[in-house]
Amino acid sequence: MAEGEGIAPCSIIVPHYNNPGMLEHQVSVWERYSGDLTYNMEFIVVDDCSDKGKEALPIFKKLKHRKKLFRFKERVPWNQHQARNLGGMNAEPRKEIIDPWLFLTDV
């Protein structure tokens, strides 16, 4: 079986707000995923203007899989929803695959 064959393409989108410890835990879990599983995956974290948002960057850099990190610089009441939307709009599953999945979760 070729790398990633049989694994549905998926973008995992995580809004982040003031919880670098939980983000570090999540990154350590993702790092344990096999290359066969993560070949068709990308990990997107969007910090929604948290006070500890700059702490997320070095944590997220540890992740060796395909990843993207975004950060809102202005605090508005609906940032968490915007964070999910921004992640979804920037999701880029592998081009050769149709029917990709978006997985939205909170940290």
Side-chain angles (χ1 to χ4, degrees):
M1 186 179 290
E3 187 175 32
E5 190 175 313
I7 306 291
C10 181
S11 298
I12 297 178
I13 302 165
V14 180
H16 171 264
Y17 185 79
N18 279 342
N19 201 342
M22 185 56 80
L23 180 62
E24 189 156 24
H25 171 74
Q26 186 62 64
V27 166
S28 73
V29 169
W30 289 338
E31 276 300 301
R32 293 192 298 252
Y33 292 174
S34 74
D36 286 341
L37 178 64
T38 60
Y39 178 78
N40 289 332
M41 297 173 80
E42 69 177 335
F43 301 87
I44 301 171
V45 172
V46 184
D47 179 78
D48 54 354
C49 197
S50 66
D51 300 326
K52 299 180 181 181
K54 290 181 181 175
E55 294 175 36
L57 183 59
I59 294 167
F60 197 60
K61 281 186 174 182
K62 295 177 188 177
L63 187 62
K64 296 174 186 78
H65 306 302
R66 289 190 320 136
K67 62 190 173 204
K68 295 178 185 171
L69 177 66
F70 298 94
R71 183 168 194 267
F72 284 100
K73 294 182 179 180
E74 184 179 335
R75 188 174 312 231
V76 292
W78 53 85
N79 266 1
Q80 187 175 26
H81 305 295
Q82 284 188 128
R84 289 185 185 105
N85 290 341
L86 179 66
M89 289 176 11
N90 285 281
E92 295 179 289
R94 297 209 178 272
K95 302 282 188 240
E96 68 274 10
I97 301 173
I98 57 171
D99 297 331
W101 289 76
L102 292 179
F103 180 73
L104 303 153
T105 185
D106 292 319
V107 172

